[in-house]
C-alpha cells in the first residue's frame, strides 16, 4: 500500500519550468510540492548558458532596446510559421515579459541584455540584429546554504577565479586576435575579485538561473523532494488528481487538490523513445541534456490520454563526439577557416547558420556524420573549447576518432574516407571565395547572425578564411542536441490536451516535457528557457485562477 500525502499542487521536475511553476502557485497561496527524479536540482537549466529569449521584457526596455509586442509577434510568426497556433504564440509573447518581472520580484535573480547577440533570423520582419536575449547576472551561492551542494553541475564550468557570462565567449575566442579578447579575460578575473571580496561565491549562466530560482522557492517555503522519480499520474474520474512517486524506496501517492504541472524534461536520454520517434541515426550519446531526462512525464501524460507533438524534433546542434562528453560546436564552426563536408568531400551547408538548422540539413541531406575541416592557421588563431590558441589538440581526441590530422589534403581525405580529388577541389573553391570575401555557394556571412561568433579582424570577411596551412584537421560532426523539443501538447494556458483538442482536467505542462512553442525552429538564444519559464508561470497562474 502506497503512502499517501496531499498538497494543492504537485510540480514534477526541478528545472526552470518546474521551479517557476512552483514559485507561482506557492506565491498564489497554494500549498505546493516539487518532486525531482535526480539527486540534484536544476536539470538541463543548470547545465546551460542560460540565454533567455523573451521579447519586450522590462530588462530590454530599460536598456533601450526598441522592442514591442507587435514587432516580436511579426518575427515569431515568420520564424515558427503555422506549426504552432497563434494563440499559443501570443500567450507566450504576452506572459513572457510578465514572467521576467515576476522573477525579478520574487527571486534574487537579476538579468542583463545580451547586447549584440542577434536573433537567429535577424533579416526576417521584426528580427533584431542587435538581439533581444537576456541572461542572469552573477548569483551568490551562499544564498542557498547547504542546498548549494544539490545544484546540478555546469556543462562547462567557468575557470576558477573568474565570473564568465555567455556574452563573454565571443571575445574569449578572439583572445589572440582582438584587443577586446584580452580585456574581457581581465574583466572576468576583476569581477570575481570584487564579488569574492564581498564574501560571495559567484556563479553565472545556468548555475545562476537554477540557483536563483531555487532561492525563490526557499523563500516561498516550497519543499523540493530530490531522488523522487515519477512512476505515474494518479487519475480519478477522468481528472488528474495527483502523482505516484518513489520516495525513500517506497511508493508514495501525492494527491493534488488543484492540479499537477508536468515539467519533467524531454526524452533525450531514452534510446527506445528516440528510435521510436526520431530519424536514424539517433541515440543517447550525442546529447548534453540532463541525464535524468528519459521522458517519464511525457509517457505518463500519454497514458492519461494526452496528445503529443514535435516528437521527431529536438533542440539540435552540431556536436563533436569528444571523449567523456560531446562538445557543442558553436563558435568553433563559425570562426573563419572551417568548412563542413559530407562523405563525398563536398560542402552542403552554411557552417555559421543557426545550430538547429545545420542539423536539420544534415538529416535532410543524409550527411550524418560529416566532417569539419580546418588547418593549423585556425588552431594558431582561436580558442577551441577551453584550449588556448596554438596549443596542440589532446591526444585522446585523436584516439577516440573525433579528430583526424594529416599533412596533406589528400592524406586527410584518405583518413576520413572521402574522395581526395573532391575534397581538394572543395577546399580550392572555398579558398578562392574566402579570399574574395563572399560565399555564393552556401551564403555564409550573408546574415548578421553568421558574423556574431566570427572574427572582425579577418578581412575581407569576418566569416571566411582560406584553409591553407598544414597540418590539416578533420573533426567528426554528429547531430547532437540540448534536449528534445517534443512532448505533451498544450493550449495557450499550458493545459494538456487530448488528440481531439479537449483539455485533460488537472494536468498542465511546461518546458521540454511539452511540445515547443517554437515549433521546428529557433527564434534566438534562449528559445528553450524563455518558453519554459513563461509557460511554467502561465500554468501556475491558470491553476491559481481556477481555484480563486
Amino acid at each position: 500500500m502506497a503512502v499517501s500525502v496531499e498538497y494543492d499542487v504537485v510540480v514534477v521536475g526541478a528545472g526552470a519550468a518546474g521551479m517557476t511553476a512552483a514559485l507561482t502557485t506557492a506565491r498564489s497561496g497554494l500549498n505546493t510540492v516539487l518532486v525531482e527524479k535526480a539527486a540534484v536540482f536544476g536539470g538541463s537549466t543548470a547545465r546551460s548558458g542560460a540565454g533567455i529569449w523573451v521579447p519586450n521584457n522590462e530588462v530590454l526596455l530599460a536598456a533601450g532596446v526598441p522592442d514591442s509586442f507587435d514587432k516580436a509577434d511579426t518575427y515569431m510568426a515568420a520564424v515558427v510559421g503555422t506549426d504552432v497556433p497563434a494563440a499559443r504564440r501570443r500567450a507566450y509573447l504576452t506572459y513572457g515579459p510578465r514572467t521576467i518581472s515576476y522573477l525579478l520580484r520574487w527571486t534574487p535573480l537579476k538579468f542583463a541584455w545580451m547586447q549584440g547577440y542577434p536573433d537567429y533570423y535577424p533579416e526576417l520582419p521584426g528580427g533584431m540584429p542587435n538581439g533581444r536575449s537576456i541572461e542572469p547576472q552573477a548569483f551568490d551561492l551562499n544564498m542557498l546554504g547547504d542546498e548549494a551542494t544539490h545544484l546540478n553541475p555546469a556543462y562547462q564550468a567557468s575557470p576558477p577565479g573568474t565570473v564568465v557570462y555567455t556574452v563573454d565567449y565571443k571575445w574569449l575566442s578572439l583572445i589572440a586576435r582582438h584587443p577586446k579578447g584580452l580585456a574581457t579575460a581581465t574583466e572576468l578575473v576583476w569581477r570575481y575579485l570584487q564579488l569574492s571580496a564581498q564574501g560571495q561565491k559567484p556563479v553565472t549562466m545556468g548555475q545562476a538561473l537554477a540557483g536563483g530560482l531555487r532561492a525563490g522557492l526557499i523563500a516561498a517555503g516550497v519543499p523540493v523532494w530530490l531522488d523522487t522519480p515519477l512512476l505515474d499520474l494518479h487519475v480519478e474520474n477522468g481528472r488528474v488528481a495527483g502523482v505516484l512517486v518513489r520516495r525513500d524506496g517506497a511508493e508514495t501517492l501525492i494527491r493534488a487538490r488543484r492540479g499537477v504541472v508536468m515539467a519533467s524534461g524531454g526524452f533525450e536520454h531514452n534510446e527506445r523513445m528516440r528510435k521510436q520517434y526520431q530519424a536514424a541515426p539517433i541515440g543517447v550519446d550525442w546529447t548534453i541534456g540532463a541525464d535524468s531526462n528519459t521522458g517519464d512525464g511525457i509517457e505518463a501524460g500519454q497514458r492519461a490520454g494526452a496528445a503529443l507533438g514535435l516528437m521527431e524534433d529536438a533542440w539540435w546542434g552540431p556536436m563533436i563526439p569528444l571523449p567523456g562528453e560531446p562538445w557543442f560546436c558553436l563558435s568553433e564552426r563559425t570562426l573563419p577557416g572551417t568548412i563542413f563536408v559530407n562523405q563525398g568531400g563536398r560542402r552542403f551547408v552554411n557552417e555559421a547558420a543557426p545550430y538547429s538548422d545545420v542539423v536539420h540539413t544534415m538529416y535532410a541531406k543524409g550527411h550524418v556524420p560529416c566532417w569539419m575541416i580546418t588547418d593549423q592557421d585556425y588552431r594558431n588563431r582561436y580558442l577551441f573549447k577551453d584550449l588556448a590558441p596554438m596549443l596542440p589538440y589532446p591526444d585522446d581526441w585523436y584516439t577516440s576518432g573525433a579528430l583526424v590530422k594529416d599533412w596533406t589534403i589528400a592524406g586527410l581525405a584518405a583518413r576520413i574516407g572521402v574522395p581526395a580529388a573532391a575534397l581538394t577541389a572543395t577546399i580550392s573553391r572555398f579558398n578562392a571565395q574566402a579570399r574574395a570575401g563572399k560565399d555564393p555557394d552556401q551564403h555564409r556571412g550573408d546574415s548578421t547572425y553568421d558574423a556574431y561568433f566570427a572574427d572582425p579582424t579577418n578581412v575581407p570577411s569576418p566569416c571566411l578564411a582560406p584553409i591553407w596551412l598544414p597540418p590539416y584537421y578533420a573533426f567528426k560532426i554528429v547531430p547532437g542536441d540540448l534536449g528534445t523539443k517534443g512532448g505533451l501538447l498544450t493550449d495557450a494556458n499550458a493545459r494538456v490536451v487530448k488528440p481531439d483538442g479537449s483539455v485533460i482536467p488537472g494536468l498542465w505542462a511546461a518546458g521540454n516535457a511539452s511540445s515547443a512553442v517554437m515549433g521546428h525552429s529557433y527564434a534566438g538564444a534562449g528559445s528553450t528557457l524563455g518558453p519554459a519559464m513563461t509557460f511554467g508561470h502561465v500554468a501556475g497562474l491558470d491553476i491559481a485562477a481556477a481555484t480563486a
Side-chain angles (χ1 to χ4, degrees), residues 9-35 102 213 216-217 220-224 261 263 536-537 539-540 543:
V9 179
V10 180
V11 179
V12 182
M19 287 195 283
T20 303
L23 181 67
T24 304
T25 56
R27 287 295 180 184
S28 299
L30 299 177
N31 191 17
T32 302
V33 65
L34 191 155
V35 298
Y102 193 87
L213 289 169
L217 295 183
V222 178
V224 176
V261 181
H537 185 52
I543 294 171

Side-chain angles (χ1 to χ4, degrees), residues 275-288:
K275 290 183 174 177
Q276 176 182 352
Y277 292 108
Q278 299 185 327
I282 196 68
V284 298
D285 296 329
W286 300 336
T287 182
I288 57 172

Side-chain angles (χ1 to χ4, degrees), residues 158-165 168 172 175 181-197 202 204:
S158 299
T162 64
V163 172
V164 185
Y165 295 121
D168 295 327
L172 292 177
I175 193 167
L182 183 57
T184 300
T186 303
E187 174 68 15
L188 310 183
V189 176
W190 177 240
R191 289 178 198 150
Y192 177 81
L193 291 174
Q194 286 182 301
L195 294 174
S196 62
T204 57

Side-chain angles (χ1 to χ4, degrees), residues 268-284:
E268 57 266 27
H269 284 282
N270 185 321
E271 188 163 10
R272 171 183 55 78
M273 290 181 72
R274 298 208 78 155
K275 290 183 174 177
Q276 176 182 352
Y277 292 108
Q278 299 185 327
I282 196 68
V284 298

Side-chain angles (χ1 to χ4, degrees), residues 363-384:
Y363 272 121
K365 296 185 176 181
H367 301 324
V368 180
C370 64
W371 298 91
M372 183 172 78
I373 309 299
T374 74
D375 66 354
Q376 188 60 40
D377 186 44
Y378 170 88
R379 175 75 293 254
N380 293 343
R381 288 179 168 206
Y382 305 119
L383 183 78
F384 194 104

Side-chain angles (χ1 to χ4, degrees), residues 262-460:
M262 192 62 70
S264 52
F267 60 95
E268 57 266 27
H269 284 282
N270 185 321
E271 188 163 10
R272 171 183 55 78
M273 290 181 72
R274 298 208 78 155
K275 290 183 174 177
Q276 176 182 352
Y277 292 108
Q278 299 185 327
I282 196 68
V284 298
D285 296 329
W286 300 336
T287 182
I288 57 172
D291 292 344
S292 54
N293 291 342
T294 54
D296 310 342
I298 297 171
E299 293 198 309
Q302 189 178 27
R303 288 191 294 271
L308 304 181
L310 298 176
M311 295 294 284
E312 71 278 13
D313 214 342
W315 303 100
W316 301 113
M319 295 280 183
I320 302 171
L322 296 180
E325 189 167 40
W327 178 247
F328 190 81
C329 187
L330 185 55
S331 61
E332 292 84 2
R333 65 184 165 84
T334 61
L335 288 162
T338 66
I339 57 172
F340 278 20
V341 300
N342 59 22
Q343 284 301 138
R346 305 291 186 187
R347 286 181 77 210
F348 64 93
V349 71
N350 170 7
E351 297 85 359
Y355 32 92
S356 57
D357 287 355
V358 175
V359 172
H360 280 141
T361 301
M362 289 172 66
Y363 272 121
K365 296 185 176 181
H367 301 324
V368 180
C370 64
W371 298 91
M372 183 172 78
I373 309 299
T374 74
D375 66 354
Q376 188 60 40
D377 186 44
Y378 170 88
R379 175 75 293 254
N380 293 343
R381 288 179 168 206
Y382 305 119
L383 183 78
F384 194 104
K385 191 176 181 283
D386 53 0
L387 194 66
M390 301 189 73
L391 294 180
Y393 295 116
D395 290 342
D396 62 353
W397 292 13
Y398 296 102
T399 56
S400 71
L403 176 59
V404 176
K405 179 175 77 171
D406 200 273
W407 287 88
T408 67
I409 298 296
L412 189 71
R415 289 178 179 273
I416 62 176
V418 308
L423 184 61
T424 300
T426 294
I427 291 176
S428 177
R429 178 178 176 85
F430 175 77
N431 285 353
Q433 294 172 347
R435 292 185 180 103
K438 203 71 178 171
D439 176 18
D441 292 344
Q442 301 298 338
H443 306 286
R444 180 170 170 179
D446 287 4
S447 172
T448 301
Y449 174 79
D450 296 356
Y452 181 72
F453 280 114
D455 180 357
T457 71
N458 189 75
V459 293

